[in-house]
Amino acid sequence: MTEHSALYVYALLPHRQGAADGVTGLDGRPLRLIGVPGTGVAALVHDAAPAPFQGGDEQVRRWVAEQSRAVTTVWERVGGLLPMTFNVLVAADTESGRSAEQCLGDWIREERDDITGRLEALAGRCELRVEITLDRAAVTGGDPADSTPADDGDGRSPGMRRLLAKQREQRARATAGEIADALHAGIRRRLLAVADDLVDRAFNQRTDDETGVLSAALLVRHEDIDAVGAVLSDAQAGRPELRIRFLGPWPPYSFADTRREEYAEHV
């Protein structure tokens, strides 16, 4: 295949003339829209070789950040889109002689109803990410009767002191875990009252002294962002030992239907 016989796909979106003007993607590549007649849908792409972008961790992080900036810029212009993950490529079909653009267009036509339905569902909405943890030291307090003396005057061996310290840590984790479990359902319910949807996520900012309560992506109408903030503020006021991280708004990466990527070739 030739150097530019594939398309790197950033997103699917309602076809809006000029939505990609001046927008650049990975390594400053200029982006363009490919509209598919009869569907009202366009793909945000750049021409590419039929091979994934590969590099060291720092370089991949830079590419992911560039892709995110490009998608966010276009998302803010059109009000809704289906973002792709990193390294989604559609290659030409050498057997049928179809170009990458023809292959992509054929797939969009086949999936038009599903794609347009998802675009309508996500219009005017954004993704927020919330991580809530408990500070274990603040929860368990530091019971003086349960502390270990700093010197050896208690007659305990170093091994015994290590065992007691481990037991205290286990009790602290268990106590914090019980509290976190009790808080989880209530906070989740209150968030769902102001969000359209919620997807659980792995914790990625939790430290060793924290116990996880809830980590989630929220699908929220732009006008309800403040309502999410109010729920989190109320939770913090009721439990000062909570640590809350609230990020966004972003394009709805966690809520875009993954079926849109089944045709794309990760080559």
Side-chain angles (χ1 to χ4, degrees), residues 143-164:
D143 183 358
D146 200 29
S147 62
T148 300
D151 55 37
D152 297 338
D154 62 352
R156 295 170 178 165
S157 68
M160 178 59 71
R161 288 198 297 277
R162 287 194 296 271
L163 176 60
L164 292 174

Side-chain angles (χ1 to χ4, degrees), residues 40 42 57 64 90 94-95 136 155 157 161 168-169 181 187 190 209 215 218 224 229 232 237 257 259:
D57 290 346
V64 170
V90 175
T94 55
E95 291 185 4
R136 279 199 298 276
S157 68
R161 288 198 297 277
R168 284 195 304 277
E169 172 64 14
D181 289 343
I187 294 175
R190 280 178 280 164
D209 63 343
S215 179
L218 306 176
D224 290 332
L232 298 177
D257 190 346
R259 284 201 299 156

Side-chain angles (χ1 to χ4, degrees), residues 104-184:
L104 179 59
D106 288 346
W107 176 78
I108 289 174
R109 277 185 284 271
E110 291 171 4
E111 300 293 332
R112 178 187 61 184
D113 291 345
D114 183 63
I115 292 169
T116 55
R118 292 302 299 159
L119 287 171
E120 290 172 2
L122 297 176
R125 288 161 174 80
C126 62
E127 177 170 333
L128 304 175
R129 292 185 187 170
V130 175
E131 281 199 6
I132 304 174
T133 61
L134 278 170
D135 180 339
R136 279 199 298 276
V139 168
T140 57
D143 183 358
D146 200 29
S147 62
T148 300
D151 55 37
D152 297 338
D154 62 352
R156 295 170 178 165
S157 68
M160 178 59 71
R161 288 198 297 277
R162 287 194 296 271
L163 176 60
L164 292 174
K166 183 176 181 179
Q167 290 174 340
R168 284 195 304 277
E169 172 64 14
Q170 289 173 339
R171 287 196 295 272
R173 287 180 180 273
T175 299
E178 291 173 359
I179 296 172
D181 289 343
L183 291 172
H184 174 89

Side-chain angles (χ1 to χ4, degrees), residues 226-247:
D226 289 345
V228 173
V231 169
L232 298 177
S233 295
D234 287 346
Q236 181 78 79
R239 279 283 185 175
E241 63 270 27
L242 287 176
R243 296 178 181 175
I244 298 176
R245 302 172 180 94
F246 180 32
L247 303 173

